[in-house]
Short mmCIF file of all heavy atoms in Angstrom, two decimals:
data_model
loop_
_atom_site.label_atom_id
_atom_site.label_comp_id
_atom_site.label_asym_id
_atom_site.label_seq_id
_atom_site.Cartn_x
_atom_site.Cartn_y
_atom_site.Cartn_z
N GLN C 114 43.58 7.48 -21.52
CA GLN C 114 43.56 7.42 -22.92
C GLN C 114 42.70 8.51 -23.54
O GLN C 114 42.80 8.81 -24.71
CB GLN C 114 42.98 6.07 -23.40
CG GLN C 114 43.99 4.98 -23.05
CD GLN C 114 43.33 3.60 -23.32
OE1 GLN C 114 42.20 3.46 -23.70
NE2 GLN C 114 44.13 2.55 -23.08
N GLY C 117 42.50 13.85 -24.82
CA GLY C 117 41.89 14.96 -25.56
C GLY C 117 40.72 15.55 -24.75
O GLY C 117 40.66 16.77 -24.62
N HIS C 118 39.89 14.77 -24.23
CA HIS C 118 38.69 15.26 -23.54
C HIS C 118 39.03 15.90 -22.19
O HIS C 118 38.80 17.02 -21.89
CB HIS C 118 37.62 14.21 -23.42
CG HIS C 118 36.41 14.76 -22.70
ND1 HIS C 118 36.19 14.55 -21.40
CD2 HIS C 118 35.39 15.49 -23.21
CE1 HIS C 118 35.02 15.17 -21.08
NE2 HIS C 118 34.58 15.72 -22.14
N LEU C 122 46.70 17.29 -19.67
CA LEU C 122 48.02 17.97 -19.67
C LEU C 122 48.15 18.93 -18.45
O LEU C 122 49.18 18.98 -17.85
CB LEU C 122 48.20 18.71 -20.95
CG LEU C 122 48.15 17.73 -22.17
CD1 LEU C 122 48.44 18.55 -23.45
CD2 LEU C 122 49.24 16.64 -22.03
N ILE C 125 48.78 17.01 -15.44
CA ILE C 125 50.10 16.34 -15.43
C ILE C 125 51.13 17.31 -14.82
O ILE C 125 52.09 16.88 -14.21
CB ILE C 125 50.44 15.86 -16.84
CG1 ILE C 125 49.75 14.52 -17.09
CG2 ILE C 125 51.96 15.71 -16.97
CD1 ILE C 125 50.21 13.83 -18.37
N ARG C 126 50.92 18.57 -15.09
CA ARG C 126 51.93 19.49 -14.59
C ARG C 126 52.20 19.34 -13.09
O ARG C 126 53.30 19.56 -12.61
CB ARG C 126 51.49 20.97 -14.88
CG ARG C 126 52.66 21.87 -15.23
CD ARG C 126 52.15 23.20 -15.71
NE ARG C 126 51.32 23.02 -16.96
CZ ARG C 126 51.79 23.30 -18.18
NH1 ARG C 126 52.96 23.74 -18.34
NH2 ARG C 126 50.97 23.15 -19.19
N GLU C 129 54.41 16.58 -12.84
CA GLU C 129 55.68 17.04 -13.33
C GLU C 129 56.49 17.72 -12.24
O GLU C 129 57.64 17.39 -11.97
CB GLU C 129 55.42 18.02 -14.51
CG GLU C 129 56.62 18.23 -15.40
CD GLU C 129 56.19 18.95 -16.67
OE1 GLU C 129 55.32 18.37 -17.39
OE2 GLU C 129 56.68 20.04 -16.91
N ARG C 151 70.36 21.65 -19.19
CA ARG C 151 69.68 20.60 -20.00
C ARG C 151 68.63 19.89 -19.14
O ARG C 151 67.74 19.20 -19.65
CB ARG C 151 70.68 19.60 -20.51
CG ARG C 151 71.60 20.23 -21.62
CD ARG C 151 72.47 19.11 -22.20
NE ARG C 151 71.77 18.04 -22.87
CZ ARG C 151 71.86 16.71 -22.54
NH1 ARG C 151 72.62 16.42 -21.55
NH2 ARG C 151 71.16 15.84 -23.22
N GLN C 153 66.02 20.62 -17.33
CA GLN C 153 64.55 20.85 -17.50
C GLN C 153 64.00 20.04 -18.72
O GLN C 153 63.03 19.34 -18.59
CB GLN C 153 64.32 22.35 -17.71
CG GLN C 153 62.83 22.71 -17.59
CD GLN C 153 62.60 24.12 -17.91
OE1 GLN C 153 63.39 24.85 -18.54
NE2 GLN C 153 61.46 24.64 -17.41
N TYR C 157 61.57 16.74 -18.70
CA TYR C 157 60.37 16.78 -19.48
C TYR C 157 60.21 15.58 -20.43
O TYR C 157 59.22 14.90 -20.50
CB TYR C 157 60.31 18.10 -20.28
CG TYR C 157 59.08 18.37 -21.07
CD1 TYR C 157 58.04 19.08 -20.51
CD2 TYR C 157 58.95 17.96 -22.35
CE1 TYR C 157 56.89 19.35 -21.25
CE2 TYR C 157 57.78 18.19 -23.13
CZ TYR C 157 56.76 18.92 -22.52
OH TYR C 157 55.60 19.20 -23.25
N ILE C 158 61.35 15.39 -21.07
CA ILE C 158 61.33 14.26 -22.06
C ILE C 158 61.20 12.87 -21.33
O ILE C 158 60.37 12.09 -21.66
CB ILE C 158 62.59 14.19 -22.88
CG1 ILE C 158 62.57 15.42 -23.86
CG2 ILE C 158 62.78 12.95 -23.60
CD1 ILE C 158 63.86 15.61 -24.65
N ASN C 161 57.48 12.58 -19.81
CA ASN C 161 56.41 12.36 -20.86
C ASN C 161 56.65 11.02 -21.57
O ASN C 161 55.63 10.32 -21.83
CB ASN C 161 56.44 13.47 -21.86
CG ASN C 161 55.71 14.70 -21.36
OD1 ASN C 161 54.52 14.69 -21.24
ND2 ASN C 161 56.50 15.69 -20.98
N SER C 162 57.91 10.73 -21.83
CA SER C 162 58.15 9.51 -22.54
C SER C 162 57.77 8.30 -21.70
O SER C 162 57.12 7.37 -22.16
CB SER C 162 59.64 9.44 -22.93
OG SER C 162 60.00 10.51 -23.77
N SER C 165 53.80 8.22 -21.31
CA SER C 165 53.08 7.83 -22.54
C SER C 165 53.42 6.46 -23.01
O SER C 165 52.53 5.67 -23.41
CB SER C 165 53.51 8.79 -23.72
OG SER C 165 53.28 10.16 -23.25
N THR C 166 54.68 6.12 -22.96
CA THR C 166 55.10 4.83 -23.45
C THR C 166 54.47 3.70 -22.60
O THR C 166 53.97 2.68 -23.12
CB THR C 166 56.60 4.65 -23.52
OG1 THR C 166 57.13 5.80 -24.22
CG2 THR C 166 57.01 3.40 -24.26
N ARG C 169 50.79 3.49 -23.41
CA ARG C 169 50.60 2.85 -24.71
C ARG C 169 50.88 1.35 -24.66
O ARG C 169 50.05 0.54 -25.15
CB ARG C 169 51.59 3.58 -25.70
CG ARG C 169 52.07 2.74 -26.83
CD ARG C 169 51.16 2.65 -28.05
NE ARG C 169 51.98 2.59 -29.29
CZ ARG C 169 51.98 1.63 -30.15
NH1 ARG C 169 51.23 0.54 -29.95
NH2 ARG C 169 52.71 1.69 -31.23
N TYR C 170 51.88 0.98 -23.90
CA TYR C 170 52.20 -0.43 -23.77
C TYR C 170 51.08 -1.19 -23.05
O TYR C 170 50.59 -2.25 -23.49
CB TYR C 170 53.51 -0.63 -23.01
CG TYR C 170 53.85 -2.07 -22.79
CD1 TYR C 170 54.59 -2.81 -23.72
CD2 TYR C 170 53.51 -2.74 -21.63
CE1 TYR C 170 54.86 -4.10 -23.53
CE2 TYR C 170 53.76 -4.10 -21.43
CZ TYR C 170 54.45 -4.75 -22.40
OH TYR C 170 54.77 -6.07 -22.22
N PHE C 178 56.75 -7.58 -26.42
CA PHE C 178 57.77 -7.99 -25.50
C PHE C 178 57.23 -7.77 -24.06
O PHE C 178 56.14 -7.20 -23.88
CB PHE C 178 59.05 -7.16 -25.69
CG PHE C 178 58.77 -5.74 -26.04
CD1 PHE C 178 58.46 -4.85 -25.08
CD2 PHE C 178 58.79 -5.27 -27.35
CE1 PHE C 178 58.23 -3.52 -25.34
CE2 PHE C 178 58.50 -3.99 -27.69
CZ PHE C 178 58.21 -3.07 -26.65
N GLY C 186 64.12 -0.90 -20.43
CA GLY C 186 64.45 -0.03 -21.50
C GLY C 186 64.24 1.44 -21.16
O GLY C 186 65.07 2.30 -21.45
N LEU C 187 63.11 1.68 -20.58
CA LEU C 187 62.81 3.10 -20.21
C LEU C 187 63.80 3.60 -19.20
O LEU C 187 64.22 4.79 -19.24
CB LEU C 187 61.37 3.21 -19.65
CG LEU C 187 60.21 3.15 -20.70
CD1 LEU C 187 58.87 3.03 -20.02
CD2 LEU C 187 60.25 4.40 -21.58
N ASP C 189 66.83 2.57 -18.84
CA ASP C 189 68.05 2.81 -19.57
C ASP C 189 68.02 4.17 -20.31
O ASP C 189 68.94 4.92 -20.32
CB ASP C 189 68.26 1.73 -20.65
CG ASP C 189 68.69 0.36 -20.04
OD1 ASP C 189 69.03 0.42 -18.82
OD2 ASP C 189 68.63 -0.64 -20.73
N MET C 190 66.88 4.35 -20.96
CA MET C 190 66.70 5.62 -21.68
C MET C 190 66.90 6.83 -20.72
O MET C 190 67.67 7.74 -21.04
CB MET C 190 65.24 5.64 -22.27
CG MET C 190 64.95 6.83 -23.11
SD MET C 190 64.15 8.15 -22.08
CE MET C 190 62.49 7.54 -21.98
N CYS C 194 69.93 9.48 -20.83
CA CYS C 194 69.58 10.84 -21.04
C CYS C 194 70.41 11.80 -20.12
O CYS C 194 70.84 12.87 -20.57
CB CYS C 194 68.11 11.10 -20.83
SG CYS C 194 67.10 10.79 -22.26
N GLU D 31 33.60 15.93 -28.96
CA GLU D 31 32.25 16.01 -28.50
C GLU D 31 31.49 17.20 -29.12
O GLU D 31 30.33 17.14 -29.36
CB GLU D 31 32.21 16.16 -26.97
CG GLU D 31 32.65 14.92 -26.23
CD GLU D 31 34.14 14.71 -26.35
OE1 GLU D 31 34.93 15.68 -26.48
OE2 GLU D 31 34.53 13.50 -26.39
N GLN D 114 45.09 13.65 -30.12
CA GLN D 114 44.89 13.68 -28.63
C GLN D 114 43.70 12.75 -28.22
O GLN D 114 43.53 12.46 -27.09
CB GLN D 114 44.54 15.13 -28.22
CG GLN D 114 45.77 16.01 -28.40
CD GLN D 114 45.44 17.49 -28.19
OE1 GLN D 114 44.31 17.83 -27.93
NE2 GLN D 114 46.49 18.30 -28.26
N GLY D 117 41.98 7.65 -27.16
CA GLY D 117 40.96 6.75 -26.64
C GLY D 117 39.85 6.44 -27.59
O GLY D 117 39.51 5.24 -27.78
N LEU D 122 46.04 3.44 -31.83
CA LEU D 122 47.15 2.54 -31.61
C LEU D 122 47.31 1.59 -32.82
O LEU D 122 48.45 1.37 -33.28
CB LEU D 122 46.96 1.73 -30.35
CG LEU D 122 46.92 2.63 -29.07
CD1 LEU D 122 46.79 1.73 -27.85
CD2 LEU D 122 48.19 3.46 -29.00
N ILE D 125 48.84 3.45 -35.56
CA ILE D 125 50.25 3.83 -35.31
C ILE D 125 51.17 2.68 -35.71
O ILE D 125 52.28 2.92 -36.19
CB ILE D 125 50.43 4.25 -33.86
CG1 ILE D 125 49.98 5.68 -33.63
CG2 ILE D 125 51.86 4.08 -33.41
CD1 ILE D 125 50.31 6.27 -32.30
N GLU D 129 54.77 2.72 -37.09
CA GLU D 129 55.84 2.01 -36.38
C GLU D 129 56.67 1.14 -37.41
O GLU D 129 57.92 1.23 -37.39
CB GLU D 129 55.25 1.17 -35.34
CG GLU D 129 56.22 0.66 -34.28
CD GLU D 129 55.42 0.07 -33.13
OE1 GLU D 129 54.63 0.81 -32.50
OE2 GLU D 129 55.62 -1.10 -32.84
N ARG D 151 68.13 -5.67 -28.06
CA ARG D 151 67.54 -4.54 -27.41
C ARG D 151 66.82 -3.59 -28.42
O ARG D 151 66.08 -2.75 -27.99
CB ARG D 151 68.63 -3.74 -26.63
CG ARG D 151 69.17 -4.46 -25.41
CD ARG D 151 70.24 -3.57 -24.69
NE ARG D 151 69.62 -2.39 -24.17
CZ ARG D 151 70.06 -1.16 -24.46
NH1 ARG D 151 70.98 -0.97 -25.33
NH2 ARG D 151 69.48 -0.11 -23.95
N TYR D 157 60.82 0.93 -30.02
CA TYR D 157 59.53 1.17 -29.53
C TYR D 157 59.50 2.37 -28.59
O TYR D 157 58.64 3.28 -28.66
CB TYR D 157 59.09 -0.11 -28.72
CG TYR D 157 57.66 -0.08 -28.19
CD1 TYR D 157 56.54 -0.54 -28.92
CD2 TYR D 157 57.40 0.38 -26.92
CE1 TYR D 157 55.28 -0.57 -28.44
CE2 TYR D 157 56.11 0.42 -26.40
CZ TYR D 157 55.06 -0.10 -27.14
OH TYR D 157 53.81 -0.07 -26.64
N ILE D 158 60.46 2.46 -27.73
CA ILE D 158 60.57 3.56 -26.74
C ILE D 158 60.82 4.88 -27.47
O ILE D 158 60.11 5.86 -27.21
CB ILE D 158 61.64 3.28 -25.69
CG1 ILE D 158 61.18 2.17 -24.76
CG2 ILE D 158 61.97 4.51 -24.96
CD1 ILE D 158 62.26 1.69 -23.79
N ASN D 161 57.58 5.89 -29.57
CA ASN D 161 56.48 6.38 -28.79
C ASN D 161 56.83 7.65 -28.03
O ASN D 161 56.04 8.57 -27.92
CB ASN D 161 56.08 5.32 -27.78
CG ASN D 161 55.21 4.26 -28.44
OD1 ASN D 161 54.02 4.56 -28.80
ND2 ASN D 161 55.79 3.10 -28.73
N SER D 162 58.01 7.69 -27.48
CA SER D 162 58.45 8.79 -26.71
C SER D 162 58.48 10.07 -27.64
O SER D 162 58.00 11.15 -27.26
CB SER D 162 59.82 8.56 -26.14
OG SER D 162 59.73 7.47 -25.27
N SER D 165 54.75 11.05 -28.67
CA SER D 165 53.95 11.54 -27.51
C SER D 165 54.50 12.84 -27.04
O SER D 165 53.69 13.81 -26.81
CB SER D 165 53.91 10.53 -26.42
OG SER D 165 53.57 9.24 -26.88
N THR D 166 55.79 12.90 -26.86
CA THR D 166 56.33 14.13 -26.30
C THR D 166 56.15 15.30 -27.15
O THR D 166 55.82 16.41 -26.77
CB THR D 166 57.87 13.92 -25.94
OG1 THR D 166 57.98 12.69 -25.18
CG2 THR D 166 58.38 15.07 -25.15
N ARG D 169 52.51 16.29 -27.01
CA ARG D 169 52.31 16.98 -25.70
C ARG D 169 52.85 18.39 -25.78
O ARG D 169 52.20 19.33 -25.32
CB ARG D 169 52.89 16.08 -24.62
CG ARG D 169 53.37 16.72 -23.39
CD ARG D 169 52.37 17.10 -22.42
NE ARG D 169 52.94 17.02 -21.08
CZ ARG D 169 52.98 18.01 -20.21
NH1 ARG D 169 52.46 19.19 -20.51
NH2 ARG D 169 53.49 17.83 -18.99
N TYR D 170 53.99 18.54 -26.32
CA TYR D 170 54.66 19.84 -26.38
C TYR D 170 53.84 20.83 -27.25
O TYR D 170 53.56 21.91 -26.82
CB TYR D 170 56.11 19.71 -26.86
CG TYR D 170 56.79 21.08 -27.01
CD1 TYR D 170 57.48 21.67 -25.92
CD2 TYR D 170 56.73 21.81 -28.20
CE1 TYR D 170 58.08 22.84 -26.00
CE2 TYR D 170 57.34 23.02 -28.30
CZ TYR D 170 58.04 23.60 -27.23
OH TYR D 170 58.64 24.81 -27.32
N ASP D 173 50.74 22.16 -25.79
CA ASP D 173 50.98 23.03 -24.64
C ASP D 173 50.89 24.49 -25.02
O ASP D 173 51.65 24.95 -25.91
CB ASP D 173 52.35 22.74 -24.01
CG ASP D 173 52.49 23.34 -22.63
OD1 ASP D 173 51.82 24.35 -22.36
OD2 ASP D 173 53.16 22.76 -21.83
N GLN D 177 57.66 25.73 -21.68
CA GLN D 177 58.68 26.37 -20.87
C GLN D 177 60.02 26.51 -21.63
O GLN D 177 60.93 27.16 -21.14
CB GLN D 177 58.92 25.54 -19.62
CG GLN D 177 57.70 25.29 -18.75
CD GLN D 177 57.26 26.61 -18.13
OE1 GLN D 177 58.02 27.36 -17.62
NE2 GLN D 177 55.96 26.88 -18.26
N PHE D 178 60.13 25.91 -22.80
CA PHE D 178 61.38 26.03 -23.56
C PHE D 178 61.08 25.96 -25.06
O PHE D 178 59.91 25.62 -25.42
CB PHE D 178 62.38 24.98 -23.14
CG PHE D 178 61.80 23.62 -22.90
CD1 PHE D 178 61.47 22.81 -23.97
CD2 PHE D 178 61.46 23.20 -21.61
CE1 PHE D 178 60.87 21.57 -23.76
CE2 PHE D 178 60.86 21.99 -21.33
CZ PHE D 178 60.59 21.12 -22.40
N GLY D 186 66.81 17.65 -27.59
CA GLY D 186 66.78 16.82 -26.48
C GLY D 186 66.26 15.39 -26.87
O GLY D 186 66.86 14.35 -26.50
N LEU D 187 65.20 15.37 -27.71
CA LEU D 187 64.70 14.07 -28.12
C LEU D 187 65.72 13.27 -28.99
O LEU D 187 65.84 12.06 -28.86
CB LEU D 187 63.37 14.22 -28.91
CG LEU D 187 62.18 14.54 -28.06
CD1 LEU D 187 60.96 14.94 -28.96
CD2 LEU D 187 61.73 13.37 -27.20
N ASP D 189 68.93 13.66 -28.80
CA ASP D 189 69.94 13.18 -27.81
C ASP D 189 69.48 11.90 -27.19
O ASP D 189 70.20 10.90 -27.05
CB ASP D 189 70.17 14.23 -26.72
CG ASP D 189 71.00 15.44 -27.27
OD1 ASP D 189 71.53 15.35 -28.37
OD2 ASP D 189 71.02 16.44 -26.57
N MET D 190 68.22 11.92 -26.72
CA MET D 190 67.65 10.79 -26.12
C MET D 190 67.79 9.55 -26.99
O MET D 190 68.25 8.48 -26.56
CB MET D 190 66.16 11.07 -25.75
CG MET D 190 65.45 9.96 -25.00
SD MET D 190 64.63 8.84 -26.18
CE MET D 190 63.15 9.76 -26.56
N CYS D 194 70.07 6.27 -26.47
CA CYS D 194 69.43 5.00 -26.31
C CYS D 194 70.13 3.91 -27.08
O CYS D 194 70.33 2.79 -26.64
CB CYS D 194 67.96 5.11 -26.77
SG CYS D 194 66.82 5.67 -25.53
#
Side-chain angles (χ1 to χ4, degrees):
Chain C
Q114 291 171 359
H118 180 263
L122 299 181
I125 278 188
R126 216 172 298 259
E129 199 167 300
R151 291 182 64 237
Q153 193 187 21
Y157 184 90
I158 289 173
N161 280 289
S162 300
S165 308
T166 310
R169 151 81 145 119
Y170 178 87
F178 40 80
L187 284 171
D189 287 348
M190 182 268 281
C194 275
Chain D
E31 289 72 31
Q114 292 171 359
L122 298 182
I125 278 189
E129 198 167 300
R151 291 182 64 237
Y157 184 91
I158 290 173
N161 280 288
S162 299
S165 309
T166 309
R169 153 78 148 121
Y170 178 87
D173 196 330
Q177 304 294 314
F178 40 79
L187 283 170
D189 286 348
M190 182 269 280
C194 275

